[in-house]
Amino acid sequence: MSSSSSRSDIDARAVRLKEVFFAEDSRLLVPEYQREYSWKREQLEAFWEDLVGPKANSNFSGTVLLLNTDTARKEIVDGQQRATTTTILLSVLRDVASTVGSLGIAQNIQENDIQCKDPDTFMLNEYRLKTSLSSRAFFETNIQRFPEEPSVPVTREEKRIMDAYNYFSAQIEEHLDSETQADQALMRIRAKVRELTVVCIEVF
């Protein structure tokens, strides 16, 4: 990419996830050439440990490589597994919040982290993350939509998405068992997700 005269500018910096995934103008796309969602239990456990484990204060969660395009969406060249997993985890936080009666928290997660607003009308009009076509329809209806419209996973990729959802559901439920204020505990986890640090490399 560095040899291309049209895309020779590169910006690399350490940023928090909330600055790259959840900023007001953040719109991300997993391009079709990327591999399918593939994280298994080992990767999910490591991601969860980054949030609540004994080394959680290290706060570093890898590298993200973004390609600026002629559209409003940046393509995720590297980091799509992390972006997809982050959205899955946030959808679990939203659904658990709804289940325990914290509807305001659930709605805020949906409106600020999973969806985004049109800057002119302030209406919710799209999802922050568009996964590749191989999983997009399933991901939107089972993960991003609220209330979701559950369907049975069919492909290997869809099953891994639901495995990740179920893993985080179990972890959060166990985590809440030791907390007296469920809503505060959910907000702490959300804050930790947004504060995770990545090295973000942008190509223009």
Side-chain angles (χ1 to χ4, degrees):
M1 281 184 288
S2 60
S3 62
S4 171
S5 59
S6 61
R7 291 198 177 105
S8 57
D9 293 332
I10 298 177
D11 177 41
R13 64 197 189 281
V15 297
R16 292 168 293 182
L17 282 188
K18 67 180 180 182
E19 298 171 63
V20 63
F21 287 169
F22 310 116
E24 184 177 349
D25 61 347
S26 290
R27 310 283 191 279
L28 301 175
L29 171 68
V30 178
E32 292 310 303
Y33 60 77
Q34 288 285 15
R35 62 193 175 105
E36 65 182 26
Y37 183 70
S38 61
W39 272 19
K40 299 179 181 179
R41 180 68 176 250
E42 180 181 358
Q43 289 92 352
L44 297 174
E45 287 178 346
F47 188 80
W48 180 250
E49 284 299 304
D50 284 342
L51 296 173
V52 301
K55 297 182 180 179
N57 290 333
S58 65
N59 225 30
F60 177 69
S61 189
T63 301
V64 174
L65 175 58
L66 302 178
L67 175 64
N68 282 265
T69 68
D70 294 331
T71 71
R73 288 188 178 270
K74 298 175 182 178
E75 290 187 359
I76 306 178
V77 179
D78 183 41
Q80 68 105 338
Q81 304 288 331
R82 184 171 292 102
T84 303
T85 302
T86 299
T87 302
I88 294 170
L89 174 55
L90 287 164
S91 77
V92 173
L93 291 174
R94 174 202 64 202
D95 293 343
V96 172
S98 178
T99 299
V100 300
S102 299
L103 297 180
I105 292 176
Q107 200 63 43
N108 280 327
I109 291 174
Q110 181 67 21
E111 294 180 2
N112 292 290
D113 300 338
I114 297 175
Q115 285 185 271
C116 46
K117 296 179 180 179
D118 184 284
D120 297 319
T121 65
F122 301 110
M123 298 293 292
L124 293 170
N125 65 340
E126 58 185 341
Y127 297 115
R128 289 196 178 279
L129 175 68
K130 278 191 177 182
T131 60
S132 59
L133 288 175
S134 63
S135 65
R136 187 176 302 167
F138 182 86
F139 197 77
E140 288 182 353
T141 56
N142 289 269
I143 301 298
Q144 292 173 306
R145 188 167 297 168
F146 182 61
E148 67 275 13
E149 297 179 5
S151 59
V152 177
V154 176
T155 68
R156 177 179 59 182
E157 185 175 21
E158 292 173 355
K159 290 175 181 177
R160 284 180 177 163
I161 288 169
M162 290 313 301
D163 284 345
Y165 182 95
N166 292 331
Y167 170 79
F168 288 130
S169 293
Q171 296 305 310
I172 290 171
E173 287 181 12
E174 181 179 343
H175 188 74
L176 292 185
D177 285 343
S178 62
E179 299 284 345
T180 57
Q181 296 291 329
D183 54 349
Q184 295 179 13
L186 292 170
M187 288 299 289
R188 281 196 295 271
I189 296 174
R190 175 183 179 255
K192 289 179 178 180
V193 172
R194 291 167 63 84
E195 291 294 325
L196 283 174
T197 299
V198 294
V199 173
C200 180
I201 304 170
E202 286 198 53
V203 180
F204 298 88

